[in-house]
Amino acid sequence: MDQTRIAVVTGASSGIGAATARSLAHEGYDVICAARRTDRIEALATEIGGRAVACDVTDPDSVRELAAGVGGVLHLLVNNAGGAFGSDPVESAEPSDWRAMYDVNVIGVLQVTQSLLPALRESGDGVIVNVGSTAGRIAYEGGGGYTAAKHGTQVLTETLRLELCGEPIRVTEIAPGMVRTDEFSLVRFGGDQDKADSVYAGVPDPLVAEDIADAIAWVATRPSHVNIDELVIRPRAQAAQHKVHRV
Ligand code: 8X3
C-alpha cells in the first residue's frame, strides 16, 4: 500500500471489532478504534499503534465527535457496533429491547455512515463494511427483535450501494453465523453465562472473531474496482440456522 490508509472500526472494544482493528493494523491501516469503553479502546490503540475515539453510535453528538476526530479523509469504515438484547418470543418480548436493537444495529449504522461519508468520498477510494448477521437472512424463534434489526442492517447496506453507484465508494455486508465471542451471547442473555455457553455447547469449532476480521480485511484489500456485495460466513458445523452439528 503506497499511502497510509485510515480505517474506523466501531464496536472495537471487544470481539469482532477488536479483532478487525488488529487485522487492519496488520494490513497497514491507521486504525481509529471507536467504542464506548475508553479503557479498552485505548489499550487496543496502544497495542496496534492506532487511535482511540470514544463513541456511542446511538448518540448523534457522540457520532459527530467521532467524525471530528477522524478529520477530512477516511478510506475504510467498518460499522461493527451492534448486538442482541433478549431472546423472548414476540408475544412477550420487551419493546424496549427491540428499540435498543434497532437503535444500535440500524440507526447507529445510519448515523455513523452519514457522518463519515464526506471523508470516505474525499479519499477517492472508500470502502464501507457493515457487519450484519445470518439473522438478517432468516427468522428464528426468540430472535424476532434481533432478526428484524439485522434485516434492517442488510436493507440499509443494499440501499446505500444502490445510492452510491457511480461514486468511488464500495459497500459490503458481512453476515456471520455462529461466532463464539466473549460478549455477544452473554449480553443477549443479560449476563447469564450458562445460557450463553449453551449456544455453542458441543459445536466443534464455532467461528471466532478473527475469522470475521480476516474476511473484512480481505474485502477491504481487493482491487478498487471489485465490490464484494455480501459474504455469509458460518462455521462448517452450521449448515443453516437450525442445522447445527453438535457432539
Ligand atoms: C449472530 C448470529 O445466529 O445468533 O449474529 O443470530 S445468530
Side-chain angles (χ1 to χ4, degrees):
M1 212 176 288
D2 38 4
Q3 73 174 128
T4 301
R5 293 168 70 84
I6 303 166
V8 166
V9 180
T10 68
S13 53
S14 69
I16 292 171
T20 300
R22 289 191 179 96
S23 287
L24 295 176
H26 183 72
E27 292 289 342
Y29 283 85
D30 174 16
V31 183
I32 297 168
C33 308
R36 289 172 300 178
R37 291 177 290 184
T38 49
D39 52 336
R40 287 184 174 229
I41 52 171
E42 278 165 10
L44 178 61
T46 301
E47 175 196 322
I48 65 173
R51 291 180 268 164
V53 177
C55 182
D56 175 350
V57 300
T58 67
D59 175 354
D61 290 336
S62 182
V63 171
R64 268 191 285 276
E65 281 170 30
L66 170 64
V70 169
V73 179
L74 178 67
H75 300 87
L76 170 62
L77 166 60
V78 182
N79 279 308
N80 164 74
F85 312 121
S87 58
D88 296 315
V90 170
E91 183 174 4
S92 56
E94 284 292 340
S96 59
D97 282 341
W98 284 49
R99 274 192 206 99
M101 285 187 276
Y102 195 80
D103 210 14
V104 69
N105 293 292
V106 183
I107 305 298
V109 175
L110 174 69
Q111 292 184 152
V112 174
T113 302
Q114 287 178 335
S115 292
L116 295 177
L117 257 179
L120 285 159
R121 196 172 272 131
E122 190 61 30
S123 76
D125 187 15
V127 180
I128 299 171
V129 178
N130 291 339
V131 179
S133 171
T134 50
R137 301 291 186 287
I138 198 163
Y140 58 88
E141 306 92 319
Y146 183 60
T147 53
K150 283 300 191 185
H151 277 77
T153 312
Q154 191 268 327
V155 171
L156 184 161
T157 308
E158 201 176 333
T159 306
L160 185 65
R161 190 183 311 114
L162 293 168
E163 292 173 352
L164 294 180
C165 183
E167 296 205 47
I169 302 176
R170 290 174 275 167
V171 184
T172 296
E173 185 203 3
I174 302 278
M178 185 181 277
V179 184
R180 182 170 203 158
T181 61
D182 291 340
E183 294 188 336
F184 176 80
S185 291
L186 199 59
V187 169
R188 177 174 224 168
F189 297 120
D192 186 329
Q193 189 70 60
D194 289 342
K195 265 191 177 178
D197 289 345
S198 71
V199 171
Y200 314 101
V203 179
D205 295 328
L207 296 177
V208 293
E210 287 72 20
D211 296 318
I212 307 306
D214 183 42
I216 293 171
W218 179 78
V219 163
T221 52
R222 291 314 83 209
S224 303
H225 67 288
V226 178
N227 192 100
I228 307 298
D229 286 6
E230 56 183 32
L231 277 181
V232 176
I233 311 174
R234 300 180 191 273
R236 187 173 56 189
Q238 185 186 34
Q241 197 71 27
H242 289 85
K243 178 72 176 174
V244 179
H245 175 61
R246 296 180 196 265
V247 292

